[in-house]
Amino acid sequence: MYSQKPSKIELTEEYPCPCRRRAKLVPITLTEAFGCEHCQNIFVVAPEGDQIEQLSGLYTARRSWRWTGEQWALIYPGRDSYLITVASLLGVLLLAWILVIRYLPASIVTLFCIVSAFLLMVVLPAVRSWFSNRR
């Protein structure tokens, strides 16, 4: 298993292409960029010096990779937004549940508990799946 610790990218060295296994990234002279010899993509070194961003390609959003010393690790932007969404949903659900128990009759409380269980068992995994599979 490779270490996920970031390593500094040297502009004079060749690296494997993050898009293709057998292709190489070759430094572009007089720039802080690399070009793939096979897929023709251009990658710019980020100011931190341990990651690259893809400038060209089919994706609308820029993809970034971090060099671990042995391989590229894809950086997933927006991973924290899922946690914020889930925490907000659970907070609203808890507040609504407390208000329903306090002020409504038992039959409506039972119905609300069933709806809450549905939200936690079906909607929450669907939201998680949507966040993890979008690009």
Side-chain angles (χ1 to χ4, degrees), residues 108-130:
I108 296 178
V109 170
T110 305
L111 178 66
F112 186 76
C113 288
I114 292 170
V115 170
S116 298
F118 174 77
L119 283 174
L120 289 175
M121 293 172 40
V122 176
V123 174
L124 204 57
V127 169
R128 180 181 182 271
S129 175
W130 179 73

Side-chain angles (χ1 to χ4, degrees), residues 15-21 23 25 36 43 52 54 63 65 72-73:
Y15 295 94
C17 180
C19 300
R20 297 183 175 262
R21 291 182 184 252
L25 292 182
C36 178
F43 301 89
I52 58 173
Q54 182 178 5
R63 295 176 74 189
W65 291 267
W72 295 107

Side-chain angles (χ1 to χ4, degrees), residues 21-73:
R21 291 182 184 252
R22 296 180 191 252
K24 292 180 185 175
L25 292 182
V26 182
I28 298 174
T29 309
L30 300 176
T31 66
E32 292 186 359
F34 290 92
C36 178
E37 64 182 16
H38 191 273
C39 65
Q40 305 300 316
N41 284 324
I42 297 174
F43 301 89
V44 173
V45 178
E48 298 85 27
D50 66 340
Q51 61 186 358
I52 58 173
E53 285 185 354
Q54 182 178 5
L55 290 183
S56 59
L58 300 174
Y59 297 100
T60 55
R62 286 186 173 182
R63 295 176 74 189
S64 298
W65 291 267
R66 179 169 283 122
W67 181 245
T68 62
E70 298 288 329
Q71 67 180 4
W72 295 107

Side-chain angles (χ1 to χ4, degrees), residues 52-106:
I52 58 173
E53 285 185 354
Q54 182 178 5
L55 290 183
S56 59
L58 300 174
Y59 297 100
T60 55
R62 286 186 173 182
R63 295 176 74 189
S64 298
W65 291 267
R66 179 169 283 122
W67 181 245
T68 62
E70 298 288 329
Q71 67 180 4
W72 295 107
L74 184 62
I75 300 171
Y76 296 98
R79 190 172 272 193
D80 295 334
S81 63
Y82 169 72
L83 296 175
I84 293 170
T85 304
V86 169
S88 301
L89 180 65
L90 290 176
V92 168
L93 192 61
L94 179 65
L95 181 64
W97 194 68
I98 290 171
L99 292 174
V100 165
I101 289 176
R102 175 92 169 121
Y103 295 110
L104 294 178

